[in-house]
Amino acid sequence: MQKLNELYRGKAKTVFTTENPEYLILQFRDDTSAFDGERIEQLARKGMVNNKFNYFIMEKLAAAGIPTQMEKLLSDNECLVKKLAMIPVECVVRNLAAGSLVRRLGVEEGLELNPPTFELFLKNDALHDPMVNESHAIAFGWATAEQLAEMKRLTLAVNNVLKPLFAAGGMLLVDYKLEFGVFNGEIVLGDEFSPDGCRLWDIATRTKLDKDRFRQGLGGVVEAYEEVGKRLGMQFD
Ligand code: ADP
Ligand code: UDP
């Protein structure tokens, strides 16, 4: 399937229409952003690594019964996906405290959260993705109560698939963000799952293997993403 027109250029991906109105092409670029787009850098190979990483994870999730956007890996940097009517609310699950939870509640990084927490954030860079709750989402018409219930169910189901997958590769799935959309009336997982949108620590050393390497200026960002992928059995060349 060929790219037709550029529909949207996001911070990390460009979205193209195709001849089929039901499908889009996601092109993963090397751009890496943090702090709601305030800092942007190009990291060689990142687009390719995240595209292949995302495809691998989406296929694992689909095999476990999670409805996903994924149709096909098209090239190093592109995949074909279902065109979803995106819901502008990000779903975040945390198994261990990190990031904004640590800043907001003053708890120690690495504190185990059992059961895992579930949070919603409005996707809005200008407002710095504020935390919202279900009543906001319903009152402002971002999603219905039924859609939110399904998003929560699927987000927690993803944890049950991915926590053991990463554990088998010697990693802790600390937290992750998912975006959903609607396709033919059904809630479907969209966007991407990659180390750009989750936190992964080595189990033994707690070395950070995710985007925190970029946020915190630790270096070796793409190398860490590739290391994660290789530990799960992915091949990048
Ligand atoms: P951002 O918009 O946060 O800068 P990206 O650079 O990743 O993020 O841009 C990708 C955009 O495409 C996002 O706005 C995301 O919500 C949207 N998107 C992802 N998957 C799909 C899909 N399957 N259908 C429609 N839109 C999608
Ligand atoms: N996250 C994301 N996009 C966002 C906000 C968060 O992918 O716009 C991911 C982030 O990488 C982490 C999880 O969601 O894995 C929780 O992020 P947190 O709320 O701690 O915010 P942060 O401190 O990372 O901005």
Side-chain angles (χ1 to χ4, degrees):
M1 189 115 30
Q2 298 294 310
K3 290 184 290 221
L4 217 56
N5 295 304
E6 186 175 313
L7 187 65
Y8 175 76
R9 186 181 164 90
K11 296 185 293 296
K13 300 191 286 300
T14 309
V15 183
F16 294 91
T17 58
T18 67
E19 307 98 77
N20 186 331
E22 294 209 314
Y23 296 102
L24 296 172
I25 290 176
L26 299 183
Q27 182 188 57
F28 287 68
R29 307 194 313 274
D30 287 343
D31 293 329
T32 310
S33 70
F35 314 116
D36 304 311
E38 274 171 33
R39 201 170 122 218
I40 299 177
E41 281 176 34
Q42 270 80 47
L43 298 177
R45 291 169 64 81
K46 200 206 68 153
M48 179 272 290
V49 169
N50 276 4
N51 182 40
K52 292 183 178 174
F53 197 108
N54 179 50
Y55 179 76
F56 181 96
I57 296 289
M58 290 264 173
E59 290 304 283
K60 292 279 183 207
L61 295 175
I66 311 262
T68 87
Q69 64 180 356
M70 191 56 70
E71 288 292 320
K72 210 172 160 201
L73 193 65
L74 293 176
S75 70
D76 272 4
N77 293 73
E78 297 161 322
C79 63
L80 183 69
V81 298
K82 294 184 183 74
K83 178 178 181 164
L84 311 182
M86 296 304 289
I87 292 174
V89 174
E90 303 181 335
C91 298
V92 171
V93 159
R94 300 175 194 269
N95 294 306
L96 298 165
S100 71
L101 184 76
V102 166
R103 293 195 296 275
R104 200 167 59 242
L105 300 183
V107 295
E108 199 182 330
E109 186 182 67
L111 179 76
E112 203 174 317
L113 302 166
N114 192 13
T117 60
F118 176 79
E119 299 165 344
L120 299 174
F121 295 88
L122 175 65
K123 196 172 152 62
N124 185 319
D125 283 337
L127 297 177
H128 303 291
D129 291 356
M131 193 176 188
V132 294
N133 66 26
E134 292 186 13
S135 74
H136 296 125
I138 296 165
F140 293 114
W142 302 324
T144 65
E146 293 72 27
Q147 288 172 335
L148 290 163
E150 181 67 351
M151 288 159 65
K152 181 174 182 180
R153 186 184 75 80
L154 291 173
T155 304
L156 291 167
V158 164
N159 206 27
N160 293 333
V161 180
L162 296 188
K163 232 169 57 160
L165 187 83
F166 286 110
M171 292 168 281
L172 292 167
L173 177 58
V174 174
D175 58 32
Y176 56 91
K177 179 269 299 179
L178 300 180
E179 291 182 29
F180 293 92
V182 181
F183 187 79
N184 289 337
E186 188 193 16
I187 291 288
V188 172
L189 177 62
D191 203 47
E192 72 180 272
F193 191 103
S194 75
D196 266 0
C198 68
R199 289 191 170 92
L200 296 161
W201 296 347
D202 180 83
I203 287 181
T205 64
R206 300 222 160 184
T207 303
K208 295 180 191 329
L209 300 169
D210 54 71
K211 197 177 186 176
D212 271 349
R213 300 202 69 81
F214 179 73
R215 295 190 190 98
Q216 298 175 8
L218 299 174
V221 180
V222 181
E223 290 80 355
Y225 290 18
E226 279 194 72
E227 158 85 15
V228 173
K230 284 180 187 161
R231 288 196 199 186
L232 299 182
M234 295 176 212
Q235 286 183 332
F236 293 107
D237 296 304

